[in-house]
Amino acid sequence: MKLMSWMAAIAALAITIPVMAQQETGKPGSPSATTTIPGDQLPPPAPKFGGVIKEGALQSTPWWPPRVVPPKDAPNILLIMTDDAGFAINSVFGGVIPTPSMERIAENGLRYNRIMSTALCSPTRAALITGRNHHSVGFGVIAEQATGFPGYDSVIGVDNATIGRILRDNGYATSWFGKNHNTPTYQASQVGPFTQWPTGMGFDYFYGFVGGDANQWGPNLFRNTTQIYPWIGHEGSLKMDRSDPNAKIWPVTGKEPSWNLVTAMADDAIDWMTRIHQTDPSQPIFLHYVPGATHAPHHPTKEWVDKIHAMHLFDDGYEKLRERIFENQKKLGVIPPDQKLTPWPKDILPPWDSLSEDAKKLYIRQVEVFAAYAAYNDHEIGRVIQAFEDLGRLDNTIVIYINGDNGTSAEGGPEGTFSEVAFFNDVLPPIDVQMKYYDAWGTEFAYNHMSAGWSWAFDTPFDWFKQNASRLGGVNQNMVISWPKRIKDKGALRQQFTHVIDVVPTLLEVIGIPAPEYVDGIKQKPIEGTSFAYTFDAKNAKAESRHKTQYFEMMGQWGLYHDGWLLSTKVNRAPWQAFGEANTDPLNNQTFQLYNLNESWNQSEDIAAQHPDKVKQLRALFVEEAKKYQVFPMNASVAARVAAERPSLTAGRNELVYTRPMTGTPQGDAPFLLNTSYTITADITVPEGGAEGMIATSGGRFAGWGFYLLKGKPVFNWNLLNLDWVRWEAPQALAPGRHTIEFDFEYDGLGLGTIAYNSFAGVGKGGTGTLKVDGKVVATQRMEKTIPIILQWDESFDIGSDTITGIDDSDYLPPFPLTAKLNKLTINVDRPELSPEDIKKLEAGMKKAGMGIQ
């Protein structure tokens, strides 16, 4: 019996979208029956029962709905994208870092030198999985900067189904491994909702971390929506000796941990794909593989650091590296041979020869660890690729390996940093401080980033970095694709202009699945990308790009590509300059540059002065695109948006009460105690024999606070970016019995409200802290400064114990469980409010700066 009733129901809905030929296997109604679906409506309507129902089962005929499968011979898909990696990172495109796994795909498939990103993490990732521009799906910036406008709210709407959802409902097994930077910060806790987690967006299995970055030695790791701690028991014995504050280098001794996320996620991916193929050999899989490498912190194993160090790739400095890479690129033919390098930016990045010997030594250590991280990551990606071959599946597997979700990150600043968390709070430690962490670089004791000089070199032949959406160094990635069954032009180069939004329509075309018109009854936005499947064929090697127009915008820097022309705004802020007054009119208050990319492939020759009419035309076209794709209102602020208020489980609540231990609440839903006065009160009962352990903590080794009992004595400790600790400690241990411990902090500043007036004057100020036991003051101390923007965002708010890393290794190590009974923990927050006089002064400051009031 054919499924005519089901087909008729679907056909009735498919008025504007052609219905593809239905493919059926097995006897209709039998348990083994399968069918493809038209795909215009997901999930498909339930088919009408096709059997016979009488009063008795013996007189009736059973009938099973057919299992939905993809079209015949649908390929497996391995979609890989690395993090914070510019054009010149990998050896395939002229870099010096060995990436043999990427080479393997390139040699057996195609190389693409014009695949574009959005210039930042979350936005590129959202665009990649939806086939739509990043503002269209709420990701104009990263999730941690979300604001209350449709293009910036960090919510992928229900009218923007992901490639995971489309493929899953068409019969694929779907998974996501690694970084998930597309869940709103205020939905990242165990309270949910989980609709914006990978498992809620069509990926049946998720193994990875939620947020922008993660400690690779001990991440905030999830399997589906459950937090897991698989590194426990594999910690190693590393110790960092900071006993001598005057030591030039603080030594690190011991054995490193035997667990690292880079390897662990490859292991888990191989296990998942093997399980799927062994359970149902006929089911194709979609494996989205997006490691945290090479985003800071750079955490490779010592084995890989030693391998790279032995190669001496960077001993002659970043300028020589850039020149060497540029020559490699020309020899390989991955860039046009007649290009010129733009000048080295001496005004922001000091020439190598001007550096001190300590600086050179430190910078080489920084980049060797970074390169080791990139090489290690490529090696583990290679293991996943090899697993497809071991299963006999590589021939019909599309492997898409995109190098970077944006250009190389320069957020370490010109000198690099031992802690990226310090950068997010506008602290760039000097060379002498960073040298103390020389041995710790890449270990769990550093949250390290490298000098921006290396980042500039790793974006060769382009210039500028991640965040800079108007420069190709921020957005021009590279990509390799293999599919042995279909792509025969092995090792060839493709130079058509493409964008990450083009990946989804490409996959749908080659599989034979249409973009759905409705998902869960909701009309879908059109796919905004353009398929580049035509480039798979050798006859189209030099065909014109079908992607004709593409806007770029990130934090007030913007550009527009149209038919070979590129309009760009001149860079007015280096990525590490994130804390000043923002451009209040980023649409118009710009210096405009113009490039003909057919002649100036790497944006080296600005011809705006010769073509004012073209500049005017492209500016107008950008406004059209910006209106179409939710780019407005444009906002040039950076750190201000990290600190800005957004939805949270604690938003609008001035009193938070907890009555039992709880761990793992992410920073987006944790009590926010920066730039405010607050009181934390713990009602505890100490047993006979005394007690110790963590009462409450937020953050970790690189920034945070802890309220705990140490050898029975109450302690409140602020970790100021792993550079300084301010402690309040009671003189005596608590006696057995019930006690009330209170920490009160009176903040001196005006608070976050000043940011609305383009001023950071209210943040990071000092205050006075007072520790009380049973109502009696036992310690009081003034903090001259406080953390202004954010705590370590891969660490959580914990009550009753501490997860991942502690805030002061000299006091305790996690989990440090509280051995007293917690009766109640109360946090009261008293946020500063601007007075009318404060507002007048701030408005006057804006007028004086010529910013105007809007």
mmCIF file of all heavy atoms in Angstrom, residues 688-708:
data_model
loop_
_atom_site.group_PDB
_atom_site.id
_atom_site.type_symbol
_atom_site.label_atom_id
_atom_site.label_comp_id
_atom_site.label_asym_id
_atom_site.label_seq_id
_atom_site.Cartn_x
_atom_site.Cartn_y
_atom_site.Cartn_z
ATOM 1 N N GLU A 688 30.729 19.837 65.938
ATOM 2 C CA GLU A 688 31.806 19.584 66.891
ATOM 3 C C GLU A 688 33.085 19.240 66.137
ATOM 4 O O GLU A 688 33.060 18.512 65.158
ATOM 5 C CB GLU A 688 31.432 18.420 67.820
ATOM 6 C CG GLU A 688 30.288 18.729 68.775
ATOM 7 C CD GLU A 688 30.650 19.823 69.773
ATOM 8 O OE1 GLU A 688 31.832 19.930 70.149
ATOM 9 O OE2 GLU A 688 29.745 20.590 70.162
ATOM 10 N N GLY A 689 34.182 19.810 66.563
ATOM 11 C CA GLY A 689 35.453 19.577 65.889
ATOM 12 C C GLY A 689 35.788 20.636 64.863
ATOM 13 O O GLY A 689 36.860 20.612 64.260
ATOM 14 N N GLY A 690 34.846 21.580 64.614
ATOM 15 C CA GLY A 690 35.117 22.690 63.700
ATOM 16 C C GLY A 690 34.727 22.376 62.260
ATOM 17 O O GLY A 690 34.239 21.289 61.949
ATOM 18 N N ALA A 691 34.965 23.366 61.401
ATOM 19 C CA ALA A 691 34.562 23.226 59.997
ATOM 20 C C ALA A 691 35.466 24.068 59.112
ATOM 21 O O ALA A 691 36.143 24.990 59.569
ATOM 22 C CB ALA A 691 33.108 23.657 59.818
ATOM 23 N N GLU A 692 35.457 23.731 57.842
ATOM 24 C CA GLU A 692 36.109 24.547 56.822
ATOM 25 C C GLU A 692 35.400 24.311 55.500
ATOM 26 O O GLU A 692 34.502 23.475 55.389
ATOM 27 C CB GLU A 692 37.597 24.243 56.706
ATOM 28 C CG GLU A 692 37.931 22.876 56.130
ATOM 29 C CD GLU A 692 39.423 22.736 55.827
ATOM 30 O OE1 GLU A 692 40.188 23.646 56.194
ATOM 31 O OE2 GLU A 692 39.801 21.731 55.215
ATOM 32 N N GLY A 693 35.819 25.061 54.472
ATOM 33 C CA GLY A 693 35.265 24.848 53.150
ATOM 34 C C GLY A 693 34.590 26.089 52.592
ATOM 35 O O GLY A 693 34.447 27.120 53.246
ATOM 36 N N MET A 694 34.160 25.955 51.336
ATOM 37 C CA MET A 694 33.605 27.072 50.580
ATOM 38 C C MET A 694 32.142 27.300 50.922
ATOM 39 O O MET A 694 31.315 26.396 50.824
ATOM 40 C CB MET A 694 33.754 26.800 49.075
ATOM 41 C CG MET A 694 33.286 27.935 48.176
ATOM 42 S SD MET A 694 34.146 29.495 48.507
ATOM 43 C CE MET A 694 35.814 29.058 47.972
ATOM 44 N N ILE A 695 31.851 28.536 51.306
ATOM 45 C CA ILE A 695 30.463 28.931 51.501
ATOM 46 C C ILE A 695 29.873 29.342 50.156
ATOM 47 O O ILE A 695 28.856 28.815 49.717
ATOM 48 C CB ILE A 695 30.362 30.078 52.527
ATOM 49 C CG1 ILE A 695 30.889 29.621 53.889
ATOM 50 C CG2 ILE A 695 28.913 30.562 52.633
ATOM 51 C CD1 ILE A 695 31.052 30.751 54.890
ATOM 52 N N ALA A 696 30.526 30.291 49.492
ATOM 53 C CA ALA A 696 30.077 30.721 48.160
ATOM 54 C C ALA A 696 31.254 31.333 47.422
ATOM 55 O O ALA A 696 32.137 31.945 48.023
ATOM 56 C CB ALA A 696 28.932 31.720 48.263
ATOM 57 N N THR A 697 31.245 31.171 46.087
ATOM 58 C CA THR A 697 32.319 31.725 45.272
ATOM 59 C C THR A 697 31.805 31.989 43.870
ATOM 60 O O THR A 697 30.842 31.349 43.415
ATOM 61 C CB THR A 697 33.523 30.759 45.206
ATOM 62 O OG1 THR A 697 34.567 31.345 44.418
ATOM 63 C CG2 THR A 697 33.145 29.419 44.602
ATOM 64 N N SER A 698 32.431 32.929 43.206
ATOM 65 C CA SER A 698 32.110 33.197 41.808
ATOM 66 C C SER A 698 33.408 33.551 41.086
ATOM 67 O O SER A 698 34.178 34.388 41.554
ATOM 68 C CB SER A 698 31.117 34.352 41.688
ATOM 69 O OG SER A 698 30.604 34.456 40.380
ATOM 70 N N GLY A 699 33.645 32.893 39.944
ATOM 71 C CA GLY A 699 34.896 33.096 39.232
ATOM 72 C C GLY A 699 35.885 32.000 39.542
ATOM 73 O O GLY A 699 35.525 30.912 40.005
ATOM 74 N N GLY A 700 37.180 32.293 39.292
ATOM 75 C CA GLY A 700 38.183 31.264 39.492
ATOM 76 C C GLY A 700 39.570 31.836 39.601
ATOM 77 O O GLY A 700 39.766 32.962 40.051
ATOM 78 N N ARG A 701 40.536 31.073 39.143
ATOM 79 C CA ARG A 701 41.944 31.399 39.348
ATOM 80 C C ARG A 701 42.339 32.752 38.755
ATOM 81 O O ARG A 701 43.260 33.404 39.247
ATOM 82 C CB ARG A 701 42.800 30.290 38.739
ATOM 83 C CG ARG A 701 44.297 30.528 38.849
ATOM 84 C CD ARG A 701 45.088 29.352 38.298
ATOM 85 N NE ARG A 701 45.140 28.256 39.239
ATOM 86 C CZ ARG A 701 44.959 26.968 38.911
ATOM 87 N NH1 ARG A 701 44.685 26.646 37.663
ATOM 88 N NH2 ARG A 701 45.038 26.030 39.830
ATOM 89 N N PHE A 702 41.644 33.211 37.729
ATOM 90 C CA PHE A 702 42.085 34.424 37.038
ATOM 91 C C PHE A 702 41.210 35.642 37.325
ATOM 92 O O PHE A 702 41.513 36.727 36.838
ATOM 93 C CB PHE A 702 42.194 34.140 35.543
ATOM 94 C CG PHE A 702 43.181 33.049 35.262
ATOM 95 C CD1 PHE A 702 42.762 31.735 35.069
ATOM 96 C CD2 PHE A 702 44.538 33.310 35.268
ATOM 97 C CE1 PHE A 702 43.679 30.714 34.861
ATOM 98 C CE2 PHE A 702 45.465 32.296 35.058
ATOM 99 C CZ PHE A 702 45.038 30.996 34.854
ATOM 100 N N ALA A 703 40.182 35.490 38.125
ATOM 101 C CA ALA A 703 39.377 36.618 38.612
ATOM 102 C C ALA A 703 38.160 36.066 39.337
ATOM 103 O O ALA A 703 37.458 35.193 38.799
ATOM 104 C CB ALA A 703 38.925 37.532 37.487
ATOM 105 N N GLY A 704 37.901 36.576 40.537
ATOM 106 C CA GLY A 704 36.705 36.137 41.245
ATOM 107 C C GLY A 704 36.772 36.425 42.726
ATOM 108 O O GLY A 704 37.719 37.033 43.228
ATOM 109 N N TRP A 705 35.744 35.981 43.434
ATOM 110 C CA TRP A 705 35.699 36.163 44.880
ATOM 111 C C TRP A 705 35.304 34.854 45.548
ATOM 112 O O TRP A 705 34.672 33.992 44.937
ATOM 113 C CB TRP A 705 34.723 37.282 45.278
ATOM 114 C CG TRP A 705 33.295 37.112 44.821
ATOM 115 C CD1 TRP A 705 32.720 37.629 43.692
ATOM 116 C CD2 TRP A 705 32.258 36.365 45.487
ATOM 117 N NE1 TRP A 705 31.394 37.263 43.598
ATOM 118 C CE2 TRP A 705 31.078 36.500 44.695
ATOM 119 C CE3 TRP A 705 32.189 35.616 46.660
ATOM 120 C CZ2 TRP A 705 29.860 35.892 45.035
ATOM 121 C CZ3 TRP A 705 30.987 35.015 47.005
ATOM 122 C CH2 TRP A 705 29.844 35.155 46.208
ATOM 123 N N GLY A 706 35.712 34.722 46.805
ATOM 124 C CA GLY A 706 35.362 33.542 47.578
ATOM 125 C C GLY A 706 35.062 33.905 49.021
ATOM 126 O O GLY A 706 35.723 34.769 49.608
ATOM 127 N N PHE A 707 34.072 33.246 49.587
ATOM 128 C CA PHE A 707 33.656 33.433 50.982
ATOM 129 C C PHE A 707 33.723 32.051 51.607
ATOM 130 O O PHE A 707 32.955 31.161 51.251
ATOM 131 C CB PHE A 707 32.231 33.986 51.003
ATOM 132 C CG PHE A 707 31.768 34.548 52.318
ATOM 133 C CD1 PHE A 707 32.643 34.857 53.352
ATOM 134 C CD2 PHE A 707 30.415 34.797 52.527
ATOM 135 C CE1 PHE A 707 32.200 35.392 54.547
ATOM 136 C CE2 PHE A 707 29.950 35.330 53.714
ATOM 137 C CZ PHE A 707 30.848 35.635 54.732
ATOM 138 N N TYR A 708 34.694 31.823 52.524
ATOM 139 C CA TYR A 708 34.932 30.465 52.969
ATOM 140 C C TYR A 708 35.473 30.414 54.393
ATOM 141 O O TYR A 708 35.828 31.442 54.997
ATOM 142 C CB TYR A 708 35.883 29.742 52.015
ATOM 143 C CG TYR A 708 37.150 30.491 51.634
ATOM 144 C CD1 TYR A 708 38.341 30.336 52.349
ATOM 145 C CD2 TYR A 708 37.165 31.327 50.514
ATOM 146 C CE1 TYR A 708 39.507 30.989 51.973
ATOM 147 C CE2 TYR A 708 38.321 31.988 50.125
ATOM 148 C CZ TYR A 708 39.491 31.825 50.856
ATOM 149 O OH TYR A 708 40.641 32.477 50.488
#
